[in-house]
Amino acid sequence: MVFLTAQLWLRNRVSDRYWRVQEVLKHARHFRGRKNRCYRLAVRAVTRAFVQCTRARRLKKRNLRMCFSFQLWISRVTAASQEHGLKYPAFILNLIKCQVELNRKVLADLAIYEPKTFKSLAALAKRRRQEGFAAALGDGKEPEGIFSRVVQHL
Amino acid sequence: MAAAVAASALPVTFGRLVSACSRGVLRASGPGEASLWSASRRFRSQSASFPQGYVPKTSLSSPPWPEVVVPDPVEEARHHAEVVEKVNELIARGCYGRLFAVVHFASHQWKVTSEDLILIENKLDIACGERIRLEKVLLVGADDFTLLGRPLLRKDLVQVEATVIEKTESWPKINMRFKKRKNYKRKRRDVWVWHTGGAPETHLG
């Protein structure tokens, strides 16, 4: 014999609905309009808010790193190198060629707080640039197998 | 070198053209030919000859950058040795004042002095209060001198030490993925560990 009455009495009923609702509404308390009070509207608003927050966290790294701070650091380093008579691309390139692996954030900080150090870095870059030019010119002699004549005429 | 070759090619062609013209001109005139030719020859022998390797000035005969004068290597080496000796003396005496260092740690470069605080958003297996030696030092500077590493400085030159002051958890960051009308919703609560470290000391020598 199977008694079904007990199983029909015992159902899974929600008893903590209040707290489940409050969990969502607490994130919506500072919203505008009925979305901060009514659960049905709040759920949608809160979901959108969380999804946008997740997406923005990834974009923030991209924007802050690449666009805002990066450009700020670059402009600072450009300004500081101009003070020492060098352009930014020449400065950075020659520092890299000297195997000095300082990033732009640190270079900007040095330019602001350690002017003497930055001056020595600029001098290093300048000297490396001149050495590069001298190396590009070579000996001044012509390569083998090529002759050139200056014809004497009036 | 390419510029020099191009420049030297030009006068040759010019010369050939001019010589052709002059030959044509001379041939046109009859009796005056010999006198003209001898006259030009005389003029040529009287003129000062160009020095060896002379290239007439054109737009390509010299490089577009201003001429650089590299100083004498022997003198430079002497000067460098002097500077290095002075710096070594200062370090040996220990009169350098406050030192700063540029350190590569946790995939960031930090400019660090004594009594500085750094926040690292990473999990490090270090207990609170432990002392750490930061080994990847890129630059060390004092008031009078700077030591630049290419790219890192030697470990026996500099010691940079730090203490882990605080190990806190970050505020809970919510990771939510949602696709509308597809019944897809995932929510995750991430909490990670933040380390706050102080860099009290940079030693030289």
Side-chain angles (χ1 to χ4, degrees):
Chain A
M1 284 208 318
V2 181
F3 293 103
L4 292 171
T5 326
Q7 280 146 336
L8 290 170
W9 277 342
L10 301 163
R11 296 153 62 194
N12 273 342
R13 310 302 306 281
V14 174
S15 52
D16 59 346
R17 182 172 286 121
Y18 169 76
W19 292 281
R20 290 189 198 184
V21 161
Q22 286 306 304
E23 248 181 46
V24 171
L25 283 177
K26 80 173 182 229
H27 292 293
R29 284 303 176 206
H30 59 280
F31 288 172
R32 204 186 206 206
R34 271 193 280 186
K35 345 193 244 280
N36 59 24
R37 298 185 291 280
C38 311
Y39 178 74
R40 183 195 275 248
L41 306 173
V43 154
R44 297 173 208 155
V46 163
T47 321
R48 278 176 70 76
F50 283 159
V51 166
Q52 282 163 7
C53 166
T54 323
R55 204 187 55 199
R57 227 180 291 133
R58 282 199 348 260
L59 288 182
K60 179 179 169 186
K61 293 186 202 13
R62 233 181 280 168
N63 292 342
L64 201 60
R65 285 282 159 71
M66 293 315 286
C67 299
F68 302 140
S69 317
F70 204 65
Q71 294 296 326
L72 184 66
W73 296 328
I74 288 181
S75 358
R76 286 183 177 170
V77 172
T78 313
S81 53
Q82 289 283 4
E83 277 179 17
H84 295 287
L86 263 182
K87 292 191 189 164
Y88 170 80
F91 178 66
I92 292 280
L93 182 70
N94 290 302
L95 273 194
I96 298 288
K97 282 184 186 173
C98 294
Q99 294 175 306
V100 173
E101 310 273 345
L102 295 166
N103 63 3
R104 284 137 184 93
K105 168 179 120 179
V106 152
L107 283 173
D109 290 339
L110 289 178
I112 297 170
Y113 295 110
E114 316 282 343
K116 294 192 219 171
T117 310
F118 197 85
K119 186 175 175 184
S120 59
L121 285 170
L124 178 71
K126 209 173 207 173
R127 180 52 203 273
R128 177 68 183 78
R129 192 166 180 240
Q130 284 170 351
E131 283 181 9
F133 288 155
L137 279 179
D139 298 331
K141 297 182 200 143
E142 286 180 11
E144 288 177 23
I146 294 182
F147 67 93
S148 57
R149 231 172 0 154
V150 177
V151 175
Q152 321 261 352
H153 62 87
L154 291 170
Chain B
M1 278 176 286
V5 166
S8 50
L10 285 170
V12 172
T13 49
F14 262 65
R16 269 194 226 125
L17 279 169
V18 169
S19 56
C21 294
S22 65
R23 250 182 273 131
V25 162
L26 287 169
R27 261 187 227 131
S29 62
E33 240 187 279
S35 53
L36 265 174
W37 185 246
S38 52
S40 60
R41 260 210 171 151
R42 249 184 279 131
F43 277 132
R44 213 179 286 168
S45 59
Q46 277 169 13
S47 71
S49 56
F50 295 117
Q52 191 60 256
Y54 167 75
V55 171
K57 190 168 179 310
T58 50
S59 64
L60 289 177
S61 59
S62 63
W65 54 79
E67 207 178 296
V68 292
V69 178
V70 179
D72 184 32
V74 172
E75 261 193 49
E76 231 198 336
R78 197 162 40 88
H79 176 64
H80 287 172
E82 272 175 24
V83 168
V84 166
E85 221 188 277
K86 269 191 215 168
V87 170
N88 281 335
E89 206 190 336
L90 281 176
I91 294 173
R93 269 191 291 156
C95 49
Y96 30 72
R98 191 172 216 161
L99 284 174
F100 75 91
V102 173
V103 158
H104 184 282
F105 188 62
S107 72
H108 290 283
Q109 289 183 12
W110 311 90
K111 181 195 162 286
V112 147
T113 4
S114 42
E115 299 152 25
D116 240 357
L117 286 178
I118 306 177
L119 178 72
I120 293 155
E121 284 194 33
N122 230 346
K123 206 174 182 183
L124 306 163
D125 286 326
I126 311 166
C128 216
E130 270 189 28
R131 220 128 137 114
I132 300 169
R133 188 180 159 191
L134 305 170
E135 292 190 337
K136 295 184 192 169
V137 184
L138 296 153
L139 212 193
V140 166
D143 192 28
D144 293 323
F145 59 89
T146 330
L147 302 175
L148 279 178
R150 300 171 70 158
L152 295 174
L153 288 168
R154 280 201 329 251
K155 277 195 215 171
D156 54 337
L157 266 183
V158 204
Q159 286 102 38
V160 182
E161 309 210 326
T163 335
V164 180
I165 293 177
E166 212 187 0
K167 244 175 117 156
T168 41
E169 287 186 335
S170 71
W171 52 279
K173 307 208 183 179
I174 302 208
N175 208 336
M176 179 111 175
R177 289 186 293 184
F178 176 80
K179 283 199 215 272
K180 56 185 179 185
R181 297 188 293 270
K182 309 296 172 207
N183 199 15
Y184 173 76
K185 188 161 71 169
R186 302 274 179 274
K187 185 170 157 187
R188 200 176 70 183
R189 206 164 149 273
D190 286 329
V191 169
W192 50 76
V193 181
W194 279 347
H195 291 262
T196 313
E201 271 144 61
T202 317
H203 293 295
L204 270 184

